[in-house]
Amino acid sequence: MCGIVGYIGNKDAYSIVIKGLKRLEYRGYDSAGIMLHDGKAIKVSKTKGKVTDLEEKAKAESNLYGTVGIGHTRWATHGVPNDVNSHPHLSNSGKLAIIHNGIIENYEPLKKELLKRGYIFHSDTDTEVLVNLIEDVQKQENVKLGKAVQIALNQVVGAYAIAVFDVNKPDEIVVARLGSPLAIGIGEDEFFIASDASPFIEYTSNAIYLEDEEMAIVRLHKPIKVRKIKDDTLVDPYVQELKMNLEQIEKGGYEHFMLKEIYEQPNVIKDTYRGRLSATTGIIKMAGIEDNLEKFLHADRILIVACGTSWHAGLVAEYIIEEFTRIPVEVEYASEFRYRNPIVKSNDVVIAISQSGETADTLAAIKLAKEKGAFVFGVCNVVGSSISRETHAGAYTHAGPEIGVASTKAFTTQITVLTLIALRLAKAKGTLSKSDYFRYLNELELIPEKVQEALLTNDVTEKIAAIIKDSNNSLYLGRGYNFPVALEGALKLKEISYIHAEGYPAAEMKHGPIALIDEHMPVIVIAPKQGHYDKVVSNIQEIKSRSGKIIAVVTKGDTQVRELADHVIEIPETSDALSPLLTTIPLQLLSYHIAVLRGCNVDQPRNLAKSVTVE
């Protein structure tokens, strides 16, 4: 959600910043802008639309030159998407420029005070208020930019990642963060600034990730100084070696990132359990679990907090953990958990799930759970992310960068990690028989090759997509472990094709949704042979009798559902508990092909952002 890029050094800043903004397009945005300093003056180009539109405008305005630059992709919060509200914003004097990810909640009283002092505002944004507040502090306190930023931020309520440039200090950029991610890439006599490392991975493998309530002065030919915003305490920054590589953030010959990431799942699932699972010896070893095993074993319950696709992974985990370990599990939307004064006890374990590790609501839920004395375990993908630092312990999914806004490999790798946790706890508690334990371990090791086989449904799903692409509504049904998959399948279709879709437990169809079924309604039924197969067949017969258009995901070789369904998609057989790792694959492919056929922007669906870093 919003993207920040900055550069200061001796190279051409324009090309670095523009390329960086393109790398951050996956975060979701509606406008873009760039500021460059050519050694004499600053020049700003910004526009509603895409980064390609910005390139055209910058070229027309001859704003292509400079060795210092900051750029931004904006996801509108305060003020509609237009050229004026786009970032960067300048102060009234024109000497300060700012880019900002986040929300300044108290911008209105700050703006009123600045209006009294004669400041003029050209946009509807909270960000323009902040840059003028910084300038006002400079004037009132007679301080340099870094100190002015610190004083101003201590008057601010909200979330932010900012980069500020002062024409009078052309060799430095001041950055700060609270609630929104910000990384500083360290090169040779040059520095890079970005919301994540993808914009500068080809230039350096060393980066500093600012912590919440930290700021830094990034100055040429001098070491970076990091300070606490509240009390000005100097912080010794940790320089992290990046594990990401350029190949991981390119499309690699695929038409879209989403399709690439769907096809990466056999490998990334294997990467997720690599070094953690040995089916032959019956060993599951995860440092975050081993070091805190007693906390899990003596937990009164496990609370899972997450949003979106991660919430669906949490629902699958609820079924798996309760079945394997007999520990009670509750799954909460992080956005609701933080506001409803939940009952959390010291003997509770809270598992927080987030692909990015930066989801604002999940981070807030973590802080609340810690305040109430719970042990908090994080499951996320991005090394060094906020959730990995805020939790007591955790496990990475090792899925690699996920660029497509609609999560695919995040879902399956999260389920893989959570299944490993459930199996490890079950072994420690003795709640699974030895034969069942080894059966699940062996089956989990086979999942990557079975996912590879499930990907062979691509051609079938593409043909089905062509038949149902013009539908206005659709229904997804599943039972047991595959009810959350029905929710996830419906979410994928909504996200990228803009077709209204709902997921339900199949048995709940009779309690309302059945009224919607007619010959125009596609009903996608998840019906693997394992689990509640006979019950699902009965539900399919009910749909058939009402002329519903049935698309069924079935186990390879199924004949009973094939006779009833209009279309079937076959997947390999696996155990009921692991079936979500396979049943979700054709649903991902189906939503992808429908979106492509409808001419939708698959990787950057409208109104959505990859990482939701504001409330």
Side-chain angles (χ1 to χ4, degrees):
M1 183 170 287
C2 295
I4 284 176
V5 180
Y7 175 76
I8 184 166
N10 300 306
K11 293 188 176 75
D12 170 36
Y14 173 80
S15 60
I16 292 171
V17 173
I18 287 292
K19 188 187 293 184
L21 292 178
K22 288 180 179 178
R23 295 258 175 86
L24 294 179
E25 285 185 303
Y26 75 92
R27 295 174 67 86
Y29 71 108
D30 45 53
S31 55
I34 188 170
M35 180 229 80
L36 295 171
H37 185 261
D38 62 7
K40 297 179 181 178
I42 59 175
K43 195 168 184 182
V44 173
S45 296
K46 54 185 186 174
T47 182
K48 177 185 175 181
K50 298 296 183 182
V51 176
T52 51
D53 300 315
L54 174 62
E55 286 182 284
E56 291 177 9
K57 190 164 187 180
K59 186 175 181 180
E61 295 173 345
S62 297
N63 187 18
L64 306 170
Y65 310 104
T67 56
V68 181
I70 55 175
H72 190 264
T73 52
R74 176 178 185 253
W75 192 85
T77 52
H78 294 80
V80 300
N82 61 27
D83 293 6
V84 174
N85 288 331
S86 304
H87 299 206
H89 286 287
L90 300 181
S91 63
N92 274 194
S93 70
K95 294 180 179 179
L96 301 188
I98 191 172
I99 50 177
H100 166 221
N101 178 11
I103 291 178
I104 306 303
E105 295 176 6
N106 64 332
Y107 84 101
E108 285 191 3
L110 293 172
K111 185 174 184 177
K112 287 178 182 177
E113 183 61 32
L114 290 168
L115 285 168
K116 290 178 184 178
R117 298 184 186 183
Y119 286 85
I120 298 170
F121 295 91
H122 305 283
S123 75
D124 300 316
T125 68
D126 51 342
T127 304
E128 192 183 10
V129 174
L130 179 56
V131 72
N132 281 301
L133 176 62
I134 294 168
E135 180 164 276
D136 190 64
V137 171
Q138 276 187 313
K139 291 178 182 177
Q140 300 293 330
E141 303 289 339
N142 191 27
V143 291
K144 294 179 181 179
L145 178 63
K147 190 65 178 178
V149 169
Q150 181 188 8
I151 293 170
L153 291 178
N154 275 306
Q155 300 178 43
V156 159
V157 176
Y160 52 79
I162 61 169
V164 190
F165 178 79
D166 184 345
V167 71
N168 293 323
K169 299 284 287 183
D171 62 342
E172 72 178 38
I173 298 173
V174 177
V175 297
R177 72 154 285 182
L178 173 61
S180 292
L182 199 64
I184 304 168
I186 304 169
E188 292 186 15
D189 295 325
E190 61 183 357
F191 296 99
F192 307 84
I193 297 158
S195 298
D196 64 44
S198 60
F200 56 75
I201 190 64
E202 65 201 83
Y203 305 105
T204 180
S205 59
N206 296 315
I208 294 170
Y209 288 89
L210 288 187
E211 301 280 357
D212 270 351
E213 298 185 331
E214 287 184 354
M215 62 176 289
I217 298 176
V218 181
R219 186 178 297 150
L220 279 178
H221 313 304
K222 291 191 177 181
I224 292 174
K225 286 187 178 180
V226 179
R227 296 180 179 275
K228 290 288 185 183
I229 294 168
K230 283 190 175 180
D231 59 13
D232 203 36
T233 305
L234 273 173
V235 176
D236 186 18
Y238 170 64
V239 180
Q240 182 171 309
E241 184 178 354
L242 301 172
K243 303 300 182 184
M244 189 189 307
N245 60 57
L246 190 59
E247 183 182 350
Q248 289 178 305
I249 57 173
E250 300 292 347
K251 289 181 183 175
Y254 289 91
E255 186 177 354
H256 298 96
F257 280 111
M258 182 181 178
L259 187 61
K260 177 194 176 201
E261 288 155 11
I262 289 172
Y263 274 86
E264 285 177 341
Q265 288 174 109
N267 288 331
V268 296
I269 290 171
K270 191 177 291 184
D271 288 342
T272 299
Y273 69 62
R274 191 191 309 276
R276 293 168 165 168
L277 166 66
S278 172
T280 54
T281 61
I283 293 174
I284 293 175
K285 193 166 185 179
M286 303 171 72
I289 297 297
E290 297 303 317
D291 294 344
N292 300 282
L293 190 59
E294 293 302 311
K295 294 185 185 299
F296 280 91
L297 296 180
H298 295 106
D300 290 335
R301 62 173 177 166
I302 293 173
L303 280 165
I304 297 176
V305 292
C307 300
T309 289
S310 296
W311 186 75
H312 295 155
L315 287 178
V316 175
E318 177 183 16
Y319 282 76
I320 294 172
I321 294 171
E322 287 195 340
E323 175 72 21
F324 289 5
T325 73
R326 312 313 298 158
I327 300 172
V329 179
E330 295 179 25
V331 185
E332 298 255 11
Y333 281 114
S335 55
E336 289 296 310
F337 178 81
R338 62 181 296 196
Y339 286 118
R340 69 170 188 81
N341 193 22
I343 298 171
V344 181
K345 299 179 180 179
S346 58
N347 275 355
D348 289 335
V349 169
V350 174
I351 299 178
I353 313 172
S354 166
Q355 187 282 138
S356 67
E358 301 292 348
T359 309
D361 286 318
T362 307
L363 278 165
I366 288 169
K367 291 175 182 177
L368 177 61
K370 286 169 71 177
E371 288 170 5
K372 291 179 176 287
F375 173 76
V376 184
F377 188 92
V379 174
C380 67
N381 186 37
V382 181
V383 176
S385 61
S386 295
I387 284 178
S388 69
R389 298 193 302 269
E390 287 288 338
T391 48
H392 295 112
Y396 289 115
T397 55
H398 300 303
E402 189 179 63
I403 307 299
V405 167
S407 280
T408 51
K409 61 180 181 175
F411 182 64
T412 49
T413 54
Q414 286 167 355
I415 291 173
T416 302
V417 163
L418 293 161
T419 301
L420 288 170
I421 292 170
L423 286 167
R424 178 66 186 94
L425 297 180
K427 182 183 182 184
K429 285 174 66 69
T431 47
L432 273 182
S433 67
K434 186 176 180 180
S435 60
D436 282 345
Y437 176 74
F438 274 91
R439 176 170 59 86
Y440 281 120
L441 260 58
N442 284 309
E443 191 59 33
L444 188 55
E445 274 199 339
L446 293 172
I447 285 294
E449 64 183 70
K450 292 188 177 184
V451 170
Q452 191 70 56
E453 186 178 344
L455 288 168
L456 297 177
T457 63
N458 181 68
D459 291 346
V460 174
T461 57
E462 190 171 10
K463 290 175 183 176
I464 296 170
I467 296 167
I468 66 173
K469 67 180 176 64
D470 295 320
S471 303
N472 294 319
N473 299 283
S474 61
L475 196 61
Y476 286 70
L477 301 176
R479 297 189 80 137
Y481 291 102
N482 283 295
F483 160 51
V485 176
L487 294 175
E488 175 62 12
L491 176 62
K492 285 291 151 287
L493 192 66
K494 283 184 281 195
E495 283 181 315
I496 62 171
S497 74
Y498 318 139
I499 295 174
H500 176 255
E502 295 296 335
Y504 281 92
E508 286 297 304
M509 178 183 63
K510 297 187 289 294
H511 297 274
I514 198 168
L516 299 171
I517 294 174
D518 60 19
E519 67 274 15
H520 304 296
M521 169 74 84
V523 183
I524 295 89
V525 185
I526 306 164
K529 197 69 176 177
Q530 299 288 342
H532 310 283
Y533 180 76
D534 292 338
K535 298 295 183 183
V536 175
V537 170
S538 297
N539 298 138
I540 291 173
Q541 289 170 329
E542 292 166 342
I543 300 164
K544 186 76 172 177
S545 67
R546 288 160 179 82
S547 303
K549 192 179 294 181
I550 301 165
I551 298 150
V553 178
V554 300
T555 303
K556 189 174 182 179
D558 182 285
T559 56
Q560 192 173 355
V561 172
R562 182 178 287 275
E563 291 178 0
L564 297 170
D566 296 273
H567 309 281
V568 296
I569 306 170
E570 291 189 332
I571 59 168
E573 185 172 359
T574 189
S575 63
D576 191 24
L578 300 181
S579 63
L581 292 166
L582 302 183
T583 55
T584 193
I585 303 300
L587 303 188
Q588 294 172 353
L589 289 167
L590 185 65
S591 62
Y592 170 78
H593 288 302
I594 290 173
V596 170
L597 291 167
R598 287 168 66 89
C600 300
N601 190 334
V602 173
D603 288 331
Q604 299 166 39
R606 69 188 183 204
N607 303 330
L608 293 179
K610 181 65 179 173
S611 178
V612 183
T613 56
V614 296
E615 291 185 52

